[in-house]
Amino acid sequence: MKTTTNLKFIATVSIMLLLNFSVFAQNENNRPKYLSATTMHWNMEKEDFSMDAWKALEKEYLQKILSKNQYITSASYYTHLFTPDNSEVLYVQTYPSWEAMDKAAERSEELAKQAWPDEKARTAFFKKRDDYFSVNHSDEIYAPIDGAKLISQDNTKDLVLYIRKTYFTFPEDGTQKEFDEMRAENFAKVVSKNEYIKGYYPNVHAWGSDKTEFVEAFFVDSMCDMEKMFDRNGELIGQAWPGDSGERRGKKWSKYFTGVHGDSAYTLVAEISK
């Protein structure tokens, strides 16, 4: 593969992913533009660890800070189900714009001072909250893209979040039009028809360690339903592209990816979500 062609296609795909998915339903116009994903870790040395006490602290933070911060569209915690590290806790916030990320931090600080005017009380609250986590964490920023299946706004259930990470490659014979059409078709014929998928959110890299990441977040009711989701996807794919057409389409689709992927699952802690 020629380097010059690669660079040209990388630029094309980057623009395509961030700006041009108009082939999908227009009812997603109000979705956030960016999300930050922070991988945190429980403080395994905390002797008086209490999940109920932690949730109480987060509920207080949600009430006094998050719910009043207009620059944060949503915020949720996700605890480990199966990942390489059972101490992992994923924290995700979404924003209406890039600029809102800086404004959100400033606004949270203002709200904290209003909620706890006494500096000692404020420091004590955040010390108690921070004590549940180790100092080690990592941050990534992603750009949500169109083609989402949105979770019901009245959901109060702790759903299972399945995350699949794949990695873009940049084929010489790839085109924006082909990729757009295939992804839209897959959403229409598979994702939107799979009754086990309660929510589906595709995201691409915006800032972080690997610009080739394509992150898909699937929400289901349970681990059992996650298995059913996979089976149902297979059925729908077979119906949409029977026989040789499925094999030909699979080859065409796979040329856009390295073939390497990673899987992880978490539990959405709904009661402390914005």
Side-chain angles (χ1 to χ4, degrees):
M1 191 178 295
K2 296 179 182 178
T3 303
T4 52
T5 304
N6 274 355
L7 293 175
K8 180 179 179 181
F9 194 71
I10 287 172
T12 302
V13 170
S14 298
I15 294 171
M16 167 188 73
L17 290 173
L18 292 173
L19 301 177
N20 188 20
F21 278 99
S22 58
V23 292
F24 293 101
Q26 295 303 307
N27 62 358
E28 298 177 31
N29 289 340
N30 294 326
R31 286 189 65 210
K33 300 301 181 184
Y34 294 97
L35 70 83
S36 61
T38 301
T39 301
M40 306 161 67
H41 300 271
W42 294 121
N43 178 2
M44 305 300 282
E45 298 179 357
K46 184 174 175 59
E47 295 181 358
D48 60 343
F49 185 98
S50 166
M51 186 63 74
D52 288 339
W54 171 68
K55 286 182 179 179
L57 287 168
E58 292 300 333
K59 284 180 181 178
E60 186 174 2
Y61 184 79
L62 173 63
Q63 178 186 4
K64 295 179 177 179
I65 307 296
L66 287 178
S67 64
K68 299 178 180 180
N69 193 327
Q70 69 272 33
Y71 301 110
I72 298 174
T73 309
S74 66
S76 299
Y77 277 103
Y78 303 86
T79 56
H80 159 91
L81 270 177
F82 66 81
T83 67
D85 184 344
N86 70 332
S87 73
E88 272 190 9
V89 181
L90 188 64
Y91 182 61
V92 177
Q93 289 191 162
T94 64
Y95 311 91
S97 68
W98 185 271
E99 294 76 16
M101 284 186 276
D102 284 334
K103 292 179 180 179
E106 295 173 0
R107 180 60 176 150
S108 289
E109 187 174 346
E110 292 173 358
L111 290 166
K113 290 179 180 178
Q114 293 173 17
W116 298 278
D118 181 77
E119 185 176 355
K120 288 184 179 179
R122 185 168 66 250
T123 300
F125 174 83
F126 284 99
K127 186 179 185 303
K128 188 183 298 185
R129 181 171 177 254
D130 292 343
D131 193 44
Y132 277 89
F133 299 97
S134 75
V135 295
N136 298 319
H137 73 276
S138 61
D139 300 285
E140 302 284 342
I141 298 176
Y142 297 100
I145 55 178
D146 291 344
K149 185 176 184 178
L150 306 181
I151 296 173
S152 172
Q153 289 188 345
D154 60 359
N155 175 70
T156 58
K157 184 177 179 179
D158 288 358
L159 301 173
V160 170
L161 166 65
Y162 164 65
I163 294 178
R164 180 172 62 202
K165 286 187 181 182
T166 50
Y167 302 88
F168 290 115
T169 187
F170 307 101
E172 292 183 347
D173 60 342
T175 67
Q176 175 180 336
K177 183 175 183 293
E178 179 180 71
F179 187 85
D180 277 355
E181 290 176 349
M182 292 182 71
R183 206 174 73 84
E185 191 176 26
N186 186 68
F187 178 82
K189 295 184 177 182
V190 180
V191 175
S192 67
K193 293 184 177 181
N194 191 325
E195 63 272 27
Y196 296 107
I197 299 176
K198 303 305 178 183
Y200 169 73
Y201 298 83
N203 308 276
V204 295
H205 168 275
W207 180 88
S209 58
D210 189 345
K211 68 180 178 182
T212 69
E213 279 188 350
F214 178 42
V215 180
E216 296 171 279
F218 299 81
F219 287 87
V220 295
D221 281 331
S222 65
M223 291 288 284
C224 290
D225 278 3
M226 187 166 71
E227 293 298 323
K228 293 176 182 177
M229 174 190 74
F230 294 135
D231 292 339
R232 183 62 173 144
N233 277 346
E235 293 173 1
L236 291 167
I237 289 170
Q239 293 171 15
W241 302 282
D244 293 342
S245 65
E247 184 177 349
R248 290 193 300 270
R249 187 182 186 279
K251 288 182 179 179
K252 189 185 296 185
W253 176 252
S254 63
K255 73 183 180 182
Y256 288 97
F257 299 93
T258 63
V260 175
H261 77 275
D263 305 275
S264 55
Y266 300 85
T267 298
L268 164 66
V269 189
E271 64 185 292
I272 54 174
S273 298
K274 178 179 179 180

